[in-house]
Amino acid sequence: MTLKQYSWKDGPDLIQQHSVAKHRILEAYLAAYFRTLVSSPNQDVLRLTLVDGFAGGGLYVHNDTREPVKGSPFIFLEATREAEFHINKDRRKPVQLQVDYFFCEADRHAQMHLDKVLREAGYADRIGNGIYIEHSRFQDKADAIIGFIKKKSPKNGRSIFALDQYGYKEVPTHLLRKIFDALPSAEVILTFGVDSFMNFASDGDQVRGLLDGLGIPDIFRGRSVEEIKASDRDWRLFLQSTLYRRLVENCGARHFTPFFIRNRGGHGDYWLIHMSQHHRARDVMTEVHWANSNYFIHYGGAGLDMFQMVGYDPSHDAAYLGQSLLGFEFDDVARRTSIAALTEHIPRRVYADDSGISFGELFATTCNSSPASARIYRESIGKLLDEKAVEIIGVDGTKRRSSAQIMDSDQILSPPQRTLFMTG
Ligand SMILES: C[S@@+](CC[C@H](N)C(=O)[O-])C[C@H]1O[C@@H](n2cnc3c(N)ncnc32)[C@H](O)[C@@H]1O
């Protein structure tokens, strides 16, 4: 199905609830991002650049309620204003947020509409002076924006790129790699229309050209889509998991969230992939997903091997997890399932090495393939501690009695005497 595209030719266009869901996630993430970044009482300035690569026209009308709905550029601007207020309300020394915004929009009508509504909302003075509205394709402006950020924040290139494309073709992996290579603290929130891609893939021949363009060639290891469909009962799952893995591998980010949004109205599921270079950034987004359980589901099991789809036995998974393979929702059931799965998987990692593994390493090296947040890891380790299946030792040699305060540097070890049950 081809998605209807917005038009701002005659004022704000209609927006569906499933697109508003994306806005809620962006809002929640930005609030959590600011909270996490400005935690030191001595900090007096935060330099950040927010890039909306596919900005749209700024304003919509809700399809059901007919209420006005603000688009992503407003979400960025208002998130900063709110963060500035919350961060500074109890501080003696205020933190100054030095935020620049780039809004790229390829469509002339949309770009003009965005310019108009921002001016009407009181941002006229800042347009061209901290707020840059570009009538351009994001791909064509990316180098200049990266250059700007490098100059502004030479050490870390702190920035967030929201790349909310229609479909799946506009953001090739080499463009993402360029961002991560140049800007170590950059984060990307990428929309990828996985259902549209799957419909296109069902068509067969043109897929290879498209994948080459996206920078993910050879994903099917010489097999045609027709062959895969004929040989694999779960061909959709196979294609999606292979595509997903290659996409994130090739984009050069160390951490990513494997979650997607289901459009309950049947408009096509899409992935909202958060990519970053630090596991803490990844954890902030994971917490946002758990807090917005209505919108997220994802494939696979709840343990550490969620995306090991090739050679994966769905019937085993379904039986083990007591739920359908595609049914993972970020709810209480999922939380319990995740804890159960982690309490089974974590000991395997811990027992594999006599010196155990630090909490930081365990989390950083496994979180990409698990839907669990650091909080859920802690809870699972707490259970293992209660069951005496592991012990936790701090760097100063102190034995921890609870996992609530577990530090990244704490070592998780196999207990001196493992029970029979555990060694089996
Ligand atoms: C999904 S809409 C964006 C919605 C917007 N992010 C929001 O949440 O309000 C995608 C927008 O990208 C624009 N667009 C399409 N291709 C583009 C490109 N290569 N670079 C920049 N904008 C593009 C379209 O005109 C459309 O306005």
Side-chain angles (χ1 to χ4, degrees), residues 33 40 209:
Y33 179 90
S40 150

Side-chain angles (χ1 to χ4, degrees), residues 8 23 53-56 60 71-72 105-106 137-139 164 166 170:
W8 282 273
H23 288 160
F54 299 76
Y60 306 83
S72 49
E105 175 50 58
R137 297 191 323 148
F138 169 68
Q139 303 88 308
D164 183 20
Y166 290 135
E170 302 293 317

Side-chain angles (χ1 to χ4, degrees), residues 96-115:
Q96 203 198 342
L97 303 188
Q98 290 183 1
V99 185
D100 289 283
Y101 305 83
F102 285 88
F103 300 136
C104 295
E105 175 50 58
D107 177 79
R108 187 68 182 156
H109 293 291
Q111 179 263 335
M112 279 169 30
H113 193 267
L114 175 61
D115 185 275

Side-chain angles (χ1 to χ4, degrees), residues 59-62 65-70:
L59 205 61
Y60 306 83
V61 172
H62 197 289
T65 65
R66 302 287 147 167
E67 293 287 328
V69 174
K70 288 174 179 169

Side-chain angles (χ1 to χ4, degrees), residues 240-260:
Q240 288 198 20
S241 57
T242 313
L243 169 72
Y244 174 81
R245 206 144 8 118
R246 284 300 158 83
L247 188 67
V248 294
E249 269 166 23
N250 292 6
C251 75
R254 237 171 267 141
H255 292 282
F256 38 84
T257 51
F259 307 120
F260 70 92

